[in-house]
Structures are given as structure tokens and as C-alpha cells.
Amino acid sequence: MKAQLLSNFTPSLMPPEALESIFVQRERFAHRLIHLIRDSVASSAKQQTLLIGPRGIGKTHLVALIYHRVRASSDLEPLLRVAWLREEEWGVGSFLELLLRIFRALNAEYKDAIDIATIDALYTMSPRAAEETAIQLIKTHLAGRTLLLLIENLDDLFLGLGDKGQKHFRSFLQENPILTMLATSQRLFAGVSRQVSPFYGFFRINHLKGLEFTEVIELLTKVAQLRGDKQLEGFITSPSGRARVRAVHHLAGGNHRVYLIFSQFLNRESLDELIQPFMKMLDELTPYYQARMAWLSIQQRRIVEFLCDQRGAVPVKLIAQRGFMTHQTASGQLRELREMGYVNASPVGRGSYYELAEPLMRLCIEVKKNRGEPIRLFIDFLRLWYSPTELEKRLTLLKPDWELERQYLLSALRDVQENPRDPRVSACMKDLKTAVKSKRLPKAVSIAQEVVAIRSDGYSYTLLGMLLGASGRGEEALDAFDKAIKLEPSNRSAWFARGVVLSERGRRSEALHDLDVSLESPSPFRVLALGMKSRLLRLEGRHNEAIDSAETVLKAEPRNATALVEKGLSLMALDRHEEATPLLDAALKVDPNNAQILLNQALLFVTSGNVNKALEALERAIKIEPIAAALHVKAAILFLLGRNREAITVVEEVLLLSPEDSDVLTLQGAMLRIDKDYAGALDSYERALRITPQSAEASFGRAAVICVLDWPRGVIALDAAIMNQHDAFEEIAESAKDILVDMKGAKTSWPEKIRCLSEIFERQNRLPVLATAIVRAIPAHVHEPDFGQWLSVWKEISNGREDLSLAIRLLEASFRYIGEEDERALLELPVEERELLRKVLEEDKDRRAESSISVESKD
Amino acid sequence: MKANPGGLLAPDQVVGRDDLIKDLWRILDRQSVVLTAERRMGKTSIIRKMQAELPSKKIAYFRDLERVHRPVEFAEIVFCDVEHALTTLQRGAARARRFLSRLSGAELSGFKFPDVADAHWKVLLTETVADLADAQMVDLAVVFFWDELPWALQNIAATSGERTAMEILDTLRSLRQMHPNLRMVFTGSVGLHHVISELRAKGYGNTPVNDMYPFDVPPLSLDGAMDLATRLLKGEAIKSDNLPQTARLVADSCNNVPFYIQHVVDQLKIRGVPGTSRNIHAIIDGALSDPQDIWDLRHFRQRVDTYYGKNASGVLNLLDIIAAGESALSIGEITNRANSSEELIEEELIRTLLELLECDHYLVRTTNGMLHFRLPLIKQWWRLNRGLLL
């Protein structure tokens, strides 16, 4: 390990490389400060910056870093002089004395910058004359350069200067724009914050924030690297290392210095390695916290002491009561304490709960209060450091004569029994809640992994699984749930959550099993589980069971929207549309802005033929949430209504939302084919097939389009498709019908083509399907002048092919009915054939659309 | 141009004040000026710019007087500046020097008065200014920009008694009347009217500045504020899809107050975010509710106690009423609402307090006599701070 000077209390003593190497969080800010100094050097505008933050927050580190960076800038050297008034500049009682300190700092920085004899002469003058001469001296020395004055503990300096000194200082600054300041203070103080103070509003004030957890990890990693401590570096990134760092974070409240102190024994495992550094740390920190207490008013000290005695946050009422104060006084004092960084407030309802911002302060004050009995605090610390299992393990390993350690461990274990909440888990859960609230799931997963590292129980694994599931890491989630269930087979939450993830992954029967197990005994998820079960059963086609499950929910919660919808959808699937309608209406009353329910309502309207109402419902749904399924159905309805151009536009919107939806691509293919954009249609079908190679609709759609573009290739594609999808009656029939329709107007080539088609269908034993296609193509051909020839060629082909005889009869009847306007042609047909033909002739458009819209519910 | 909220600005960085400065010079051609403004409006920057960019036939001296605690220190400062002015004419402040020699028995070297001069500050001040008159500087006006004069008067009242502070004000008035080419510009963070009120309470009956033109510095014009915002956004390289639009948004949202504009751009820079409407409003909302009070807004509440003493609770009530109103209110409406609470305030007192609140830049009066907060931002902050938001 490298020996490196890493000063916990005096960063100004550290070499610049060390300062740079462990600098975190404030790079952008440091850059900005340098920028402001440059700006002050370049013009007569002078920037004055004051950094505010409690001890240990990194003020001196930042100032030292800026100092080194400025001194290392060769371009600034001829234009700037730097005077750094150190932390311990006590005893400055007037502006003149401040000037003398500046001279001293300049002389220390630039050998003999100001003649010592001249400075000595100032002591022989009257204060007023000496001040005037000193001002001239500094101006002469600067000779047009700018002075960068670095001042630490400006509050102390101002206290010494007093009102008079501050006014002299400010007058000097106002009349002589030659000086830029970077100052620090542990708190806002009257000298800058009171409106009547000379320096009110003079500084650009920056409150330095504590470290966030990720920044802590970065800092500790850098510290480990600086020390060459590979073990520590590796430990920090492991889940148990991160959990321990989080425990420190809980204690340190973001204070840089505390992390530096802790970093020295973060990866120590044995008790004896831990106790000594821990106590030493408290010893080092105690004067600091005592000093912080000394700054407070009596009332504020009383509040802080009371909060030290508490182990959690407490309401103002209790603080006021215990401090013998009015509520108003306590609120006022707490507000000041909060502004000074002593306490944190968490709003609860209309009030607030307060706790110490730095739990270490509690520990340090407790040490002093219970002199010689540091058991309580060390027990807390042990509980933060070790899991209950680790505590037990360590107890068994103790040598018989290690009585003190045994006492600590036993007390810690007793505390675990009395108060089983693990403070480390509490710290994790606090951060986890924040991460989930701010939708930072990767961070939440990482914290949950730490919880698992601390406490490998069913609850922790379930929590991790849920977060992994929500992050889309389904397989890892299932793995976590498996572990949770193995550890705690009766953990209903784990069963339920695994059921959810399984259902999301399409493993419905397994999901149903898990949900059933979760329902074996009461759990908070019961209603959710039943709702989900109803949905899965519906998707499995077990509609009656789905209805039963939904009804169980509705008995307990008659206005449960999910159950109302699920029951409605199952009823729809059972063609009980009239029963389904009021259920969906009721669901919408409960949840009027649920786009999914509106979508299903639209489908119900489609089923009952009320297309306009369906479109209205879809518009509402899309307005609430532009879900792809709603747009898909809208496109299909527009297609059905013959509004093909609009439909194409909507389909493009759907594909923006879900570009990999093969059903939508297939629908787009059909639309583009109708629009005679055959190349576009072919592209859509082929994209659909790349996603779902088994799609019959896309295969036959593709074949029909190729038939237009390149007949020989098209026939081969059709032949192959029939072979692969032999049972797809509807898709084959539609494709063949499209091919027949596309022959319209092809003056000479069609007789050959339909002969070729019939050969394929005969060879594939699918002539009945071809017959359906011939009938469906009647409306396209019946008004054509060559319909007579169309009929005679088909009659010729059908010779000896019984499967085509019905189609030929209907062709002949159509010819007579439409071409010769002979009403008898229809009447001579058997009634069922007559109705079939009438339907074909009148409802071709509707039938085509029906084939496009699935009336299955949309999920 | 870099953002510099609260810091010292170079004269060329004082943007959007050219017309106001021209007006001030026009006024100074005929009389002296009491320059008033809410803190943060840029008074000091304006007078520093005036001093740095003097028109012809003017000599000007800028002094920050807050360090003055004794009247002789003030006389010494004036002496120093008059000597400097006369040096340009190869002269010196002969009368004053003669008087000092008589006092101390020795010739003055440098500018520091001997201790014996303490009791004779008034003669010294008068003689020093008379030296200026003797120089017969025809068509050449000497302007003294005295920043923080109210503070100096308070310091003097504390160390030498209120009577001495009163004498200073009277002496300065008499000097202005005796010397037609002498001009003074008084400014300060604390309103001069408060200092005079304090002196009145101790028996002072004069009106020491009624010969001076009271000039109130308003926020920037929209064009001026946009110009400032544009320069800062450019100077700090803040990303923006539409710079003029962003500059307008910053200017508007900051009520055209230069200090707030500087702060918003500074924060955009520190946070490293582009100048979008969302980011700008987030900064302003954050500043209004910031527990650390980064915009120094809390003084609007705190100074009520200092300025209004026993009337503080009445003033708070009046400000609450006006802040809670959606639009401007008439004095009658304010009186009715004020007296609907448990503590009755006399109508005449309400009128007086409202006038003082105007002088202290909380309120402005519309042409039809309605009153509202001078800056919408302060109204919003007042509502937040006083819990008046529903």
C-alpha cells in the first residue's frame, strides 16, 4: 500500500496531485470558479464568491485545489497575485490588520513582495494614516494586477473586523476594483445575510452540498486508489461493501471528512480492528461537534440535545413540549437549525418530522454524556456494521477471555431481538424509496441487491425480484423469486409476484399455478391476484372460469374496474355482447380515463356494427394515451369504411409506436395493395414475415402481391404458402380472391393464369378453397364486359372438378342476374345458395373488413 | 459577458441604463440628486458608470461613505477629493490648509487631518468647498457621488450624536446653496428618509434634501433587460434554441431586475443546463422557496420590523392584504380588509404606512390610485413566505 499524505482535517497540507486525485462531485463548480477568477483578471468587474458549508464538507479542499490550479496557470501569473489567509487567521480586529495579514500572505507567496521595512513603518503611524498608506502600498504592489484573496472562515474574520472594520473593507472594495475574493464560511452569518450589513448581497453565495451515495462510492474508490489499497477498492464495489458504505452514508450525512475517516477501516472485519479506530474517530470528531453545539443558542442546543436522545424523527409538537417552548418558538428555532444544516425535516401530512442531519453528532454527544459507558452507541454501530447472523458467528468465535467484546456482541444481539429492524436495511429502504419515487430503477435494483447482501431472506429476494421484473429483467426476477420461495415457501407475495412476471413472459399456465398458490391464504394481493387470474384464464380461452374469478372480485369490490372489464371481455368472447356492454360502461364510470377500457368498448361497438361509436371511443382512448392497439383498430375500421388513405396514415402512427408488430405490418400490406402500391405492400408483408414467419395472412398476402408484380414468381410463392399453411382456409381463400380480382382488366393473360391457379389448388387438394375465392371475386368481375368469357373459361376448367360446381352455378346465376337482369336467375337457386350470392353481391365491402378486424379483445 | 450577481461590474457591463444616465446628467446640470432604489436595482453600478464615463465639463468623485464614523473623516474625504480636483488646475485647497495650519501649528502633509481637527469639521468642510469656489471653475461642475451616505449618518449619530448628523445634513444643504457649481448625489442601501425620520424623532425639524431631485431607479426596460440577458447567455455559452426568446423569458420572469437576471444565468451555467422555459422557471421557483434565500428576499420581511417599529404588525397585515389580492387594490378596499381583522388601524395611519411602503419600494400606485406590489416576483415570494397561497 502506498504511503500517501491524506489529511482528514487540513487538506491545505496535501500536495496538489493528492487533492486532484480524490476530488469528486464539484469538478464543474471548480471549473466555474476558475472561470470567474479569469473574468475578474480580464476586466474591472470583480467576482466575489462565498462558499458555505459545515466543517468537513470539503471547503478547504476546494479552495486548495483552486489555489493550486490558479498558481499553475502560467497565463494568469503576470496578471494576478494570490493571498491565502489560512483558517487560523485569528485576531484580525480592524481593516488595517486585515491589510497587514494580506501583506504577510503575499510575502509568503512571493518572496519579499512588499518591503518589510515599509510594513514595519506602518506600526509607527496613527491607525488612519497607516490604513491609507497600506492601501497605497497594496495598490502599488499590484500595479494593475488583480489580487485573488482566499479567505477561510470569513465569519470569524468578519466577527473580528466588527461593523466598523467591515465598512472600511467594503468601502475599499467599492472604491478600488482590484480584488476578487473566494471565501468560505461554515454558515451564513449576519455580516452577509442581514440587510443592514455592509456585505449584504455582496457575495455570490454557494451552499456546498453533501455527497450523494454514488459520489461517496466514487470518493472512496479514489481514496483506495490513492492509497493503492486494492482490497478496499474491490470491496467498495461488491454488494456487501456497498451496503456497508450505505451504512456509513446513513451515519455521515454526506460529510466528506467522515468518509475519509471511515475509509481507513471500511474493510476491516475483526472486532478488535474495528473498536480502536472507531473510538479514535469519535475522539477526533467530538471537538468538532462540541464546537458546533457551542455556536447555538440555548434553545437550539436544547432541541439538538433532545434530538440526540431520539433514534428517529420526531414532530415539532413533541420537541416543543420537551423543550418547554411554544410550538411557534420551536418551529422558528427548527427552521434556523435546518438552514444551518443541523437538522433535516420530512413533511408528514400538514406537519414535519425533524431529525439530526448527522447521526454521528448523536454518537459523539452521547459519548460525552455517558462518559465511560459507550455501550449504547457501540451497539448501534455494531448493528450497522454486521448482520444478525454475522453477530452470532462472531460471538461463537470469541476467545473465552474477551469479555468486553462478548458484552458488546451480546448487547447488540439482544437489541436485534428487541428491535428487529436492521438500521442498515432502514438506510437502504430510505434510499430505495427515493429511487423508486424518482423512477431510477437501475439504482433501486442495485440497492435491493445490497438489501439481499445484508439480509438474504424471502422478503429481500421478493423485493429484488419485483424491481428486476419492473426493469424488464424477467429471467433474473424469476431467479430471485425462486430463491425467495425456496427460503420461504409460504411467502404469498413471492408467489404472486412470480405469477405476474411469468404471465408477462407468456408462461400462462405456470403463472396461473403461482397465482393459485398465492390465493391459498389471505394476502394483500388477493384482489389483484384474482383479477390477474381472470385475465390469464380469458387469454387461455377458459372464459367461464375467468368470469368466475372476476365475479369473486366483484363480490368483494363491486366497482373493481379490472374485474368488470375482464368479465366483460370474457362475455364478449362468448358472444354475450349485451351482457358485456353494461360491464364495460360500469368500468368506464369507475375509471373514465382508462384508454384500455375505451378500446375494448370500441371493439364491442364494432361487433354490434356501430362503427362510428367505435371510432369515437377510439378517439377518446387515443387522446388519453396513444396506445398502439387503439390506433391499430382505428386503422382497421377506416380500412373497413374504405377510407384507405386515412387508414394508411394511422397505420404509420401505429408502426412508430410498435415497429415490430407483424399484424400491423400485414394490415399495412393489405392497405398498400388496395392503394396499388405493390412494392410497398410486398415490403410490409416481408417485414411481417421476418418477425412472424408463420403468419398465414402475411404469407398469402405476399404471394398475391408477387402475382401482380411477377406472375411466375407469384405462383411459386402461392404454391409454397399453400404447402406450408395447408389448413389456413380463410387466408388461402382471400389470397386467391385477391389474385382473381387483380386479373380484372388483364385482357389476354388471365385464362392462362386461372388455369394455372386451378392446377395448383387441385394438386394441393384445395379446390373447395378456390371455389370460395371464385365466389368472393364475383363482385369485382360481374360488371366487366368480358364476364361472359370469364364464366365460360371457368366452366371449361370446372369440367370434371366437382369441387368447383357450386362456384360455377353462382357465376352463371350472377351472369344472368346482373348481365341479363334476369331476376329468375336468383330465384332458381336453392335458397341457401341464393342467400349466399345475394350476400356476396351486397356485402363485399363489409366482409372484407370483417376479415381485417379481429373482434378478439385487445390487451 | 459573464454573470456576476452581486459582484462589482465594470462600467461597460452596466447594460440598459444609458437613457437613465442621460436623464441624471440632465438633472445634475441644474440640481443635486437623491438617488433611491430597492437594493439590487444597481444604484452603485449606475453611479460608478457615470463617474467612469463623464461628459465634458464635469469632474466627479465616487466615495463609499459607509466607513465614515466621525464627521471629521467625512470632511477629510471631501478635502482629499477637492485637493485632487484643484491639482488639475495647479492649485490646492488653500483655505482649508491655512485653517489646518492655524489649528495644528504645522503645515499639513498628505491628506490626513491632525487629531485636533476633529472638533472643527464643519469649518474644514466649508473652507474646503469654498476653495473650490475660489478656483472660479466657470462651466465646470464638480459632482460628488456619495454612496452609503445614510449609513455614514447613522454611524456618526451613533458615535457623535444625532445632533452632529443633523448638522452634517444642514451643512451640506447650505454648501449646495452657496456654490452653484457644486453637485451632490446621495445614495444608500438604507433609505435616507428613514435616517431623517429617526433624526426627526430626536427633534430635527429641517428638510435637508428638499432642494435635491429625488430620482428613483426602476428595473430595466424590457429591451434593456433582454439586452443584458442576451449578453449574459452568450457570454456564459448557455445553450438555447432561440436566443431572443430565451432572453425575453429570462427578462420577463425576473421582472427586468438586473440582479435576478444575473442570478438566473449564473444558475443555468452552474447547473450546466440549456436555457429552456422549464429550467428557467425551476431556477426561479427554487430561488423563491430556497431555505438558504439565495436571492436575499427575506430582507423584505425582516426590514419591516426595523423600519416600521411599533407599526410593523400593521404593515405586515397591509402587505398580506395586497399580496393576497389578485389585482391592485384601492386604499378604501385595503382599509376595509385591514379593519375586518381583529386589530383596527386608523385610516390615516394606513395612508401614511402605504406611502412609506411606496418609498421603500414595496408598492407602486397606479394612475387611478390603486396599489399593488412593485414587482410580481416579490408578491409571489411574499405569498409563499407568508403562507398566503391556497
Side-chain angles (χ1 to χ4, degrees), chain B residues 299-312:
Chain B
H299 80 266
F300 282 103
R301 164 64 191 85
Q302 287 166 347
R303 70 185 187 183
V304 168
D305 300 330
T306 329
Y307 285 5
Y308 296 92
K310 63 180 174 24
N311 290 319

PDB file of all heavy atoms in Angstrom, chain B residues 299-312:
ATOM      1  N   HIS B 299     -35.089  39.744   3.341  1.00  0.00           N
ATOM      2  CA  HIS B 299     -34.986  41.088   3.950  1.00  0.00           C
ATOM      3  C   HIS B 299     -36.268  41.877   3.748  1.00  0.00           C
ATOM      4  O   HIS B 299     -36.566  42.787   4.504  1.00  0.00           O
ATOM      5  CB  HIS B 299     -33.782  41.841   3.408  1.00  0.00           C
ATOM      6  CG  HIS B 299     -33.987  42.464   2.072  1.00  0.00           C
ATOM      7  ND1 HIS B 299     -33.633  41.845   0.908  1.00  0.00           N
ATOM      8  CD2 HIS B 299     -34.533  43.651   1.716  1.00  0.00           C
ATOM      9  CE1 HIS B 299     -33.927  42.628  -0.102  1.00  0.00           C
ATOM     10  NE2 HIS B 299     -34.492  43.727   0.345  1.00  0.00           N
ATOM     11  N   PHE B 300     -37.048  41.510   2.703  1.00  0.00           N
ATOM     12  CA  PHE B 300     -38.322  42.215   2.502  1.00  0.00           C
ATOM     13  C   PHE B 300     -39.228  42.028   3.727  1.00  0.00           C
ATOM     14  O   PHE B 300     -40.030  42.888   4.035  1.00  0.00           O
ATOM     15  CB  PHE B 300     -39.033  41.699   1.251  1.00  0.00           C
ATOM     16  CG  PHE B 300     -38.452  42.253  -0.012  1.00  0.00           C
ATOM     17  CD1 PHE B 300     -37.624  41.481  -0.807  1.00  0.00           C
ATOM     18  CD2 PHE B 300     -38.705  43.556  -0.396  1.00  0.00           C
ATOM     19  CE1 PHE B 300     -37.064  41.986  -1.966  1.00  0.00           C
ATOM     20  CE2 PHE B 300     -38.151  44.081  -1.559  1.00  0.00           C
ATOM     21  CZ  PHE B 300     -37.326  43.292  -2.350  1.00  0.00           C
ATOM     22  N   ARG B 301     -39.081  40.890   4.374  1.00  0.00           N
ATOM     23  CA  ARG B 301     -39.848  40.656   5.592  1.00  0.00           C
ATOM     24  C   ARG B 301     -39.133  41.237   6.817  1.00  0.00           C
ATOM     25  O   ARG B 301     -39.731  41.941   7.631  1.00  0.00           O
ATOM     26  CB  ARG B 301     -40.088  39.144   5.766  1.00  0.00           C
ATOM     27  CG  ARG B 301     -40.536  38.703   7.145  1.00  0.00           C
ATOM     28  CD  ARG B 301     -41.904  39.280   7.507  1.00  0.00           C
ATOM     29  NE  ARG B 301     -42.227  39.070   8.910  1.00  0.00           N
ATOM     30  CZ  ARG B 301     -41.846  39.869   9.886  1.00  0.00           C
ATOM     31  NH1 ARG B 301     -41.113  40.956   9.634  1.00  0.00           N
ATOM     32  NH2 ARG B 301     -42.193  39.622  11.125  1.00  0.00           N
ATOM     33  N   GLN B 302     -37.808  40.948   6.874  1.00  0.00           N
ATOM     34  CA  GLN B 302     -37.064  41.305   8.090  1.00  0.00           C
ATOM     35  C   GLN B 302     -37.024  42.816   8.333  1.00  0.00           C
ATOM     36  O   GLN B 302     -37.136  43.287   9.455  1.00  0.00           O
ATOM     37  CB  GLN B 302     -35.637  40.765   8.005  1.00  0.00           C
ATOM     38  CG  GLN B 302     -35.595  39.257   8.190  1.00  0.00           C
ATOM     39  CD  GLN B 302     -34.265  38.657   7.772  1.00  0.00           C
ATOM     40  OE1 GLN B 302     -33.454  39.308   7.127  1.00  0.00           O
ATOM     41  NE2 GLN B 302     -34.049  37.395   8.118  1.00  0.00           N
ATOM     42  N   ARG B 303     -36.866  43.582   7.257  1.00  0.00           N
ATOM     43  CA  ARG B 303     -36.663  45.014   7.467  1.00  0.00           C
ATOM     44  C   ARG B 303     -37.948  45.724   7.909  1.00  0.00           C
ATOM     45  O   ARG B 303     -37.886  46.860   8.357  1.00  0.00           O
ATOM     46  CB  ARG B 303     -36.072  45.650   6.224  1.00  0.00           C
ATOM     47  CG  ARG B 303     -37.024  45.719   5.069  1.00  0.00           C
ATOM     48  CD  ARG B 303     -36.329  46.257   3.850  1.00  0.00           C
ATOM     49  NE  ARG B 303     -37.316  46.466   2.807  1.00  0.00           N
ATOM     50  CZ  ARG B 303     -37.010  46.880   1.596  1.00  0.00           C
ATOM     51  NH1 ARG B 303     -35.763  47.107   1.264  1.00  0.00           N
ATOM     52  NH2 ARG B 303     -37.954  47.070   0.694  1.00  0.00           N
ATOM     53  N   VAL B 304     -39.074  45.035   7.743  1.00  0.00           N
ATOM     54  CA  VAL B 304     -40.328  45.644   8.203  1.00  0.00           C
ATOM     55  C   VAL B 304     -40.219  45.963   9.691  1.00  0.00           C
ATOM     56  O   VAL B 304     -40.598  47.051  10.135  1.00  0.00           O
ATOM     57  CB  VAL B 304     -41.525  44.699   7.928  1.00  0.00           C
ATOM     58  CG1 VAL B 304     -42.772  45.182   8.648  1.00  0.00           C
ATOM     59  CG2 VAL B 304     -41.791  44.606   6.439  1.00  0.00           C
ATOM     60  N   ASP B 305     -39.664  45.025  10.451  1.00  0.00           N
ATOM     61  CA  ASP B 305     -39.527  45.243  11.900  1.00  0.00           C
ATOM     62  C   ASP B 305     -38.618  46.434  12.180  1.00  0.00           C
ATOM     63  O   ASP B 305     -38.899  47.261  13.044  1.00  0.00           O
ATOM     64  CB  ASP B 305     -38.957  43.988  12.574  1.00  0.00           C
ATOM     65  CG  ASP B 305     -39.863  42.792  12.367  1.00  0.00           C
ATOM     66  OD1 ASP B 305     -41.085  42.995  12.240  1.00  0.00           O
ATOM     67  OD2 ASP B 305     -39.351  41.656  12.310  1.00  0.00           O
ATOM     68  N   THR B 306     -37.491  46.511  11.420  1.00  0.00           N
ATOM     69  CA  THR B 306     -36.530  47.586  11.663  1.00  0.00           C
ATOM     70  C   THR B 306     -37.106  48.939  11.237  1.00  0.00           C
ATOM     71  O   THR B 306     -36.996  49.927  11.959  1.00  0.00           O
ATOM     72  CB  THR B 306     -35.249  47.324  10.815  1.00  0.00           C
ATOM     73  OG1 THR B 306     -35.083  45.930  10.669  1.00  0.00           O
ATOM     74  CG2 THR B 306     -34.034  47.955  11.423  1.00  0.00           C
ATOM     75  N   TYR B 307     -37.704  48.954  10.067  1.00  0.00           N
ATOM     76  CA  TYR B 307     -38.140  50.241   9.521  1.00  0.00           C
ATOM     77  C   TYR B 307     -39.411  50.762  10.206  1.00  0.00           C
ATOM     78  O   TYR B 307     -39.596  51.953  10.339  1.00  0.00           O
ATOM     79  CB  TYR B 307     -38.456  50.091   8.029  1.00  0.00           C
ATOM     80  CG  TYR B 307     -37.257  49.987   7.116  1.00  0.00           C
ATOM     81  CD1 TYR B 307     -35.962  49.916   7.613  1.00  0.00           C
ATOM     82  CD2 TYR B 307     -37.431  49.964   5.740  1.00  0.00           C
ATOM     83  CE1 TYR B 307     -34.876  49.803   6.765  1.00  0.00           C
ATOM     84  CE2 TYR B 307     -36.355  49.860   4.878  1.00  0.00           C
ATOM     85  CZ  TYR B 307     -35.079  49.770   5.385  1.00  0.00           C
ATOM     86  OH  TYR B 307     -34.024  49.657   4.539  1.00  0.00           O
ATOM     87  N   TYR B 308     -40.281  49.850  10.580  1.00  0.00           N
ATOM     88  CA  TYR B 308     -41.612  50.310  10.984  1.00  0.00           C
ATOM     89  C   TYR B 308     -41.891  50.172  12.482  1.00  0.00           C
ATOM     90  O   TYR B 308     -42.961  50.571  12.938  1.00  0.00           O
ATOM     91  CB  TYR B 308     -42.689  49.597  10.164  1.00  0.00           C
ATOM     92  CG  TYR B 308     -42.583  49.938   8.697  1.00  0.00           C
ATOM     93  CD1 TYR B 308     -41.833  49.158   7.837  1.00  0.00           C
ATOM     94  CD2 TYR B 308     -43.193  51.081   8.188  1.00  0.00           C
ATOM     95  CE1 TYR B 308     -41.695  49.480   6.492  1.00  0.00           C
ATOM     96  CE2 TYR B 308     -43.058  51.424   6.853  1.00  0.00           C
ATOM     97  CZ  TYR B 308     -42.305  50.611   6.000  1.00  0.00           C
ATOM     98  OH  TYR B 308     -42.174  50.946   4.687  1.00  0.00           O
ATOM     99  N   GLY B 309     -40.933  49.601  13.213  1.00  0.00           N
ATOM    100  CA  GLY B 309     -41.026  49.550  14.667  1.00  0.00           C
ATOM    101  C   GLY B 309     -42.374  49.116  15.184  1.00  0.00           C
ATOM    102  O   GLY B 309     -42.836  48.022  14.878  1.00  0.00           O
ATOM    103  N   LYS B 310     -43.053  49.989  15.929  1.00  0.00           N
ATOM    104  CA  LYS B 310     -44.313  49.581  16.568  1.00  0.00           C
ATOM    105  C   LYS B 310     -45.436  49.381  15.541  1.00  0.00           C
ATOM    106  O   LYS B 310     -46.456  48.768  15.846  1.00  0.00           O
ATOM    107  CB  LYS B 310     -44.718  50.593  17.642  1.00  0.00           C
ATOM    108  CG  LYS B 310     -45.016  52.002  17.147  1.00  0.00           C
ATOM    109  CD  LYS B 310     -45.406  52.874  18.325  1.00  0.00           C
ATOM    110  CE  LYS B 310     -45.601  54.326  18.069  1.00  0.00           C
ATOM    111  NZ  LYS B 310     -45.919  54.886  16.827  1.00  0.00           N
ATOM    112  N   ASN B 311     -45.266  49.898  14.345  1.00  0.00           N
ATOM    113  CA  ASN B 311     -46.290  49.702  13.311  1.00  0.00           C
ATOM    114  C   ASN B 311     -46.043  48.456  12.455  1.00  0.00           C
ATOM    115  O   ASN B 311     -46.738  48.224  11.467  1.00  0.00           O
ATOM    116  CB  ASN B 311     -46.347  50.917  12.384  1.00  0.00           C
ATOM    117  CG  ASN B 311     -46.920  52.121  13.104  1.00  0.00           C
ATOM    118  OD1 ASN B 311     -47.882  51.976  13.868  1.00  0.00           O
ATOM    119  ND2 ASN B 311     -46.322  53.272  12.903  1.00  0.00           N
ATOM    120  N   ALA B 312     -45.013  47.677  12.844  1.00  0.00           N
ATOM    121  CA  ALA B 312     -44.615  46.540  11.990  1.00  0.00           C
ATOM    122  C   ALA B 312     -45.771  45.573  11.736  1.00  0.00           C
ATOM    123  O   ALA B 312     -45.990  45.137  10.595  1.00  0.00           O
ATOM    124  CB  ALA B 312     -43.434  45.812  12.607  1.00  0.00           C
TER     125      ALA B 312
END
